[in-house]
Amino acid sequence: MRLRQCLSELEKYDRREKALTEQLAGYERVLSDYAREVEAGQVSVLDYLTVLRNKIQTERDALLMRTNRQLVIAAYNYWNH
């Protein structure tokens, strides 16, 4: 039962990692566009900083998710032996 639970959690982490990777790629595109628009005076620096803060928070979330995924892998290995 615990092995199945670990495998289910790993699948959820894999889906979450894919979503976070796509989200980070989106932030990169937006930040690139904003940088050009800030230089042209079309967007405020505060808007750019807000998106940058959101990207940094998403990176932290991704790191925490990867750490938790490794803990699930360790639990799986423990219960599998």
Side-chain angles (χ1 to χ4, degrees), residues 8 19 21 24 26 28 35 38-40 43-44 47 54-56 58-60 65-67 70 75 77 79:
S8 174
T21 300
L24 286 170
E28 286 295 328
V38 165
E39 288 178 17
V43 174
S44 76
D47 290 338
N54 290 340
K55 178 185 178 265
I56 291 169
T58 302
E59 288 173 338
R60 286 182 187 152
M65 186 266 321
R66 286 184 196 110
T67 301
Q70 290 300 316
N77 289 335
W79 290 108

Side-chain angles (χ1 to χ4, degrees), residues 1 6-7 10 15 18 22 26 30 32-34 44 49 54 56 59-60 65 71-73 78-79 81:
M1 182 170 116
C6 288
L7 289 174
L10 285 174
R15 286 193 301 269
K18 181 180 178 190
E22 291 172 1
V30 170
S32 175
D33 292 343
Y34 269 27
S44 76
L49 290 176
N54 290 340
I56 291 169
E59 288 173 338
R60 286 182 187 152
M65 186 266 321
L71 291 172
V72 171
I73 290 171
Y78 173 79
W79 290 108
H81 286 100

